[in-house]
Amino acid sequence: MAIKHFFIMGGGVMSCRIGMILGRKGYKLTVYDINPEALKNWRQQFDAIGSVMKSNFGMTEEELERALGNIALTENFEDVIKADLVIEAVVENMEVKRRVMEQIEEKVGEDTIIVTNTSSLAPSLIAANMKHKERFCAWHFNSPNTYTEIMGIPETSPEVVKTLRELSISAGEVPIVMLKEKTRYLANNCLQVWFMEALDLIIDGYGTYEDLDRSWMLAHKHDRGPFAIMDFCGLDLRLAQAQNEYQKCRDQGQDASVWKKRIDFLRGMVDKGELGVKSGKGFYTYPNPAYEDPKWLRKELLEDNGEF
């Protein structure tokens, strides 16, 4: 199945990251958003993320320029008709994603592959109202990490999974094919526990986010801690995921108070426009966040020696 043109639904952070990954390899992409403001601010968002990708993850200026040259922005949803593959990358909300899937199906041909880039919702529920579920799959990009996760639903055609696997490889991404459906895939299930435990520790006053990041970075020889990674993912995404988990607990008659606490904390930041890298401020300030300074990790030792 030859894929030449991609159409991304949603002009947020993931449209930039997916655009960088596929565009640098020569694939043509069109990014659509229902909100003209999102497209107006898209280039600024692309440049901010691109700066981090260059300084931290080895992407070159040439790759970013090549990617940018292969991406077109549109306010016209009718342009979806030209796509061989449509990537849904809208807000992490089940009802919104279902509605988007129905809108896409109304426009595209039966051979067009439709994927969701959801990071935490069940693909089978997103596709619940689709007429042609055989061409649907989850294809989750984990930029800046160089792998994708491919997760079909029972109706997904093996040919679609095969195509997504081949596309991942051609884009320089390691394809991780799930054996069966599981919300949040493999790594994100582990990350969810990590992120939420980190949030609880600072919300409950056991330490600062800087010290938690520093302790993790020193202990595990990583270049970033959980709060730096949350900034890169987007704090609005973390908030949406926490809201989904809160509602899930409520629906199952479980105590949701721990999720309410996390939601209140994250909403306090998001309401102030502190979304992370894409807004220039989250837990850290961007560009040039404190954790990129080699001296930051050991500031007490350096301060004692008068070197900080």
Side-chain angles (χ1 to χ4, degrees):
M1 192 177 293
I3 305 296
K4 296 180 180 178
H5 194 101
F6 295 82
F7 188 94
I8 302 178
M9 290 283 289
V13 167
M14 285 312 303
S15 70
C16 296
R17 295 185 192 167
I18 295 169
M20 289 174 189
I21 293 167
L22 296 174
R24 66 178 177 171
K25 295 295 185 178
Y27 288 109
K28 300 292 183 182
L29 305 99
T30 299
V31 175
Y32 165 82
D33 200 288
I34 196 171
N35 179 9
E37 276 300 304
L39 296 179
K40 181 180 176 182
N41 297 325
W42 191 87
R43 177 60 191 270
Q44 180 182 345
Q45 185 174 244
F46 182 95
D47 289 343
I49 295 169
S51 176
V52 176
M53 294 299 289
K54 282 192 298 181
S55 61
N56 287 45
F57 302 101
M59 192 170 283
T60 66
E61 184 65 36
E62 291 74 20
E63 287 179 309
L64 289 170
E65 288 299 324
R66 190 181 312 125
L68 202 55
N70 285 316
I71 300 170
L73 307 181
T74 185
E75 296 179 26
N76 184 8
F77 180 55
E78 296 294 325
D79 289 341
V80 72
I81 297 170
K82 307 170 189 174
D84 302 306
L85 191 152
V86 182
I87 302 172
E88 172 275 305
V90 300
V91 64
E92 197 75 347
N93 177 282
M94 181 63 76
E95 292 310 312
V96 173
K97 288 182 182 291
R98 280 181 177 171
R99 188 162 61 248
V100 165
M101 289 300 166
E102 292 173 29
Q103 292 168 348
I104 295 169
E105 265 206 321
E106 288 177 3
K107 296 292 182 182
V108 302
E110 292 185 12
D111 291 334
T112 304
I113 295 174
I114 303 173
V115 303
T116 176
N117 185 60
T118 182
S119 57
S120 63
L121 301 176
S124 58
L125 297 181
I126 293 173
N129 300 327
M130 291 181 68
K131 298 173 183 176
H132 298 283
K133 298 179 183 179
E134 70 280 355
R135 43 91 170 271
F136 171 82
C137 194
W139 192 25
H140 182 232
F141 287 77
N142 281 276
S143 170
N145 306 305
T146 55
Y147 73 99
T148 66
E149 288 159 311
I150 301 165
M151 180 162 63
I153 61 176
E155 297 88 346
T156 302
S157 163
E159 182 65 24
V160 168
V161 173
K162 179 174 180 288
T163 298
L164 296 178
R165 185 178 182 278
E166 290 171 351
L167 284 171
S168 297
I169 293 170
S170 72
E173 304 285 298
V174 176
I176 305 295
V177 180
M178 296 284 293
L179 301 181
K180 58 183 179 179
E181 186 178 34
K182 171 70 174 174
T183 56
R184 294 195 297 268
Y185 311 90
L186 300 179
N188 268 3
N189 268 291
C190 301
L191 282 174
Q192 175 83 341
V193 176
W194 188 48
F195 288 149
M196 293 306 110
E197 184 66 23
L199 273 177
D200 289 346
L201 286 168
I202 67 162
I203 292 171
D204 295 337
Y206 292 106
T208 67
Y209 69 86
E210 296 101 330
D211 280 346
L212 200 153
D213 271 3
R214 289 199 301 159
S215 62
W216 183 272
M217 293 162 71
L218 289 166
H220 299 284
K221 305 295 187 292
H222 289 179
D223 61 356
R224 295 178 298 162
F227 293 99
I229 295 175
M230 281 192 269
D231 269 358
F232 195 83
C233 295
L235 300 183
D236 50 342
L237 175 60
R238 295 268 78 81
L239 174 59
Q241 291 175 339
Q243 290 170 327
N244 290 334
E245 293 300 325
Y246 172 80
Q247 192 57 51
K248 189 187 299 182
C249 286
R250 292 288 301 274
D251 292 344
Q252 296 172 354
Q254 299 174 356
D255 180 13
S257 58
V258 67
W259 288 106
K260 177 66 164 57
K261 174 182 68 174
R262 295 160 178 167
I263 288 169
D264 290 345
F265 180 86
L266 289 168
R267 185 181 286 122
M269 298 185 70
V270 170
D271 286 351
K272 290 187 290 186
E274 296 175 356
L275 310 181
V277 173
K278 61 183 172 183
S279 69
K281 177 75 170 68
F283 289 101
Y284 299 92
T285 301
Y286 300 87
N288 306 316
Y291 60 82
E292 288 186 357
D293 183 347
K295 296 180 179 180
W296 179 78
L297 271 180
R298 302 177 181 275
K299 66 176 185 177
E300 284 83 3
L301 297 180
L302 295 172
E303 284 172 345
D304 191 56
N305 293 327
E307 299 176 36
F308 192 82

